[in-house]
Amino acid sequence: MRSIALTNQKGGVAKTTTTVNLGACLAQMGKKVLLVDLDPQGNLSSWLGIDIHNLERSMYNIFLEEVYFEEILAKTCIENMAIAPSNIALAGVERILAHEKGRDLILKKRLSLVADNYDYVLLDCPPSLGLITINALTFVKEVFVPLETKVLALNGLVTLMNTVQVVRERLNHNLEVTGIIACRFDGRTNLSNEVYNQIKERFKEKVFNTIIRENTRLAECPVSGKPITLYAPDSTGAADYTSLANEVAERETNSKTRH
Ligand SMILES: Nc1ncnc2c1ncn2[C@@H]1O[C@H](COP(=O)(O)OP(=O)(O)OP(=O)(O)O)[C@@H](O)[C@H]1O
Ligand SMILES: [Mg+2]
């Protein structure tokens, strides 16, 4: 089992787009995939057709009650891929747990019980480095950072790396940033190329060779209720996420030998 948090405290960098489409491509390769929606916006859940306004149980219950993952999981249109959904209720969790002892370990405690049923557990983090993201980082071994290559945002990246370091020292010795994903790449602009080169220079082999290009089909995809490989199989978006999934899977052996 590989556990991966898709994290970047900056909003709108393609965390959710990458979680859905990477997850779907891995599932279509025959892997068993669990997606965990950790964002109160519930974008991942609505993308996969879940009515987030009428959820009986969700990640909110996982954080605040003695509820098992099996009780909240939903199926998706991809056979091997399940989702643990969220909605706006999750926004209250940080405040309710603010002074609770062991609050950083709740997700790990619950998710560890089911994680080994899957080949990949992908966690779609909210755009913040608050309690929910810390819970994700306490559970996973790997962090993937989607970056929007349209803007130079290395400062934010430094803050994220520092947070990962603190969590590694205090809560999770296995934690490592293993992948940086260049997203929303617009090859017509010098800026996208410049940002990609800078990231590559700074983070070297951590940066995936696959670049996710800006693609209208990807932007339309959430309302279709499907991942890009089903919505627009011939699009550059589908090609890019398939290529990313291949690269991720190729690194499986490396990650096995590392841990
Ligand atoms: N390669 C792409 N081409 C075109 N549009 C894209 C691409 N990737 C993402 N988008 C669009 O960019 C917007 C932000 O993407 P997404 O919601 O995945 O980001 P996010 O990091 O999850 O955002 P948030 O921080 O709000 O959770 C969405 O409207 C999405 O459709
Ligand atoms: Mg998102």
Side-chain angles (χ1 to χ4, degrees):
M1 186 276 296
R2 281 175 79 185
S3 50
I4 303 166
L6 284 290
T7 313
N8 190 330
Q9 74 276 25
K10 191 170 186 304
V13 297
K15 293 180 286 292
T16 302
T17 304
T18 302
T19 307
V20 168
N21 293 305
L22 172 61
C25 291
L26 289 166
Q28 286 168 328
M29 288 161 64
K31 312 284 182 191
K32 283 196 80 183
V33 177
L34 172 62
L35 305 183
V36 182
D37 190 351
L38 288 176
D39 189 345
Q41 298 177 97
N43 293 342
L44 178 72
S45 307
S46 2
W47 187 327
L48 292 168
I50 289 175
D51 178 6
I52 58 170
H53 303 294
N54 291 300
L55 277 179
E56 217 167 284
R57 290 204 175 101
S58 65
M59 287 304 297
Y60 173 87
N61 306 85
I62 293 282
F63 276 100
L64 295 179
E65 296 163 12
E66 289 287 324
V67 165
Y68 290 104
F69 261 86
E70 285 90 341
E71 299 175 71
I72 74 153
L73 292 184
K75 289 186 173 155
T76 72
C77 56
I78 306 272
E79 201 185 316
N80 300 332
M81 186 164 85
I83 178 170
S86 279
N87 62 14
I88 190 66
L90 192 65
V93 164
E94 306 231 352
R95 185 181 44 80
I96 297 168
L97 293 174
H99 304 292
E100 190 88 8
K101 212 167 151 254
R103 61 187 175 277
D104 300 327
L105 302 167
I106 299 172
L107 182 66
K108 179 178 178 172
K109 211 167 98 191
R110 300 262 191 277
L111 194 44
S112 301
L113 298 176
V114 294
D116 282 328
N117 297 337
Y118 299 91
D119 299 308
Y120 283 88
V121 179
L122 304 182
L123 297 87
D124 182 23
C125 291
S128 85
L129 295 173
L131 177 64
I132 290 174
T133 298
I134 300 299
N135 262 271
L137 298 182
T138 303
F139 168 70
V140 296
K141 285 190 173 156
E142 299 181 61
V143 179
F144 284 0
V145 184
L147 285 181
E148 193 187 18
T149 39
K150 286 192 206 163
V151 276
L152 198 54
L154 288 178
N155 289 349
L157 210 51
V158 170
T159 308
L160 175 53
M161 294 298 181
N162 289 342
T163 303
V164 168
Q165 172 104 23
V166 169
V167 174
R168 186 192 306 125
E169 283 165 10
R170 298 198 184 153
L171 295 158
N172 180 3
H173 296 308
N174 294 317
L175 184 65
E176 206 178 313
V177 175
T178 52
I180 293 178
I181 309 165
C183 294
R184 309 206 63 175
F185 184 88
D186 184 351
R188 294 165 305 179
T189 66
N190 288 335
L191 186 59
S192 269
N193 285 299
E194 201 179 299
V195 171
Y196 182 78
N197 290 338
Q198 286 206 14
I199 300 164
K200 192 83 191 165
E201 203 173 291
R202 173 90 169 69
F203 297 101
K204 308 212 163 53
E205 71 283 352
K206 281 195 198 301
V207 184
F208 283 105
N209 294 324
T210 302
I211 291 174
I212 310 295
R213 289 166 283 181
E214 185 74 16
N215 176 227
T216 320
R217 291 277 179 251
L218 274 172
E220 296 164 358
C221 202
V223 280
S224 77
K226 298 173 193 158
I228 191 70
T229 41
L230 295 185
Y231 171 65
D234 298 327
S235 62
T236 57
D240 292 347
Y241 275 107
T242 303
S243 157
L244 179 67
N246 283 326
E247 239 190 289
V248 169
E250 269 169 28
R251 294 185 182 189
E252 271 175 25
T253 29
N254 300 346
S255 67
K256 267 182 200 141
T257 49
R258 205 179 53 238
H259 300 305

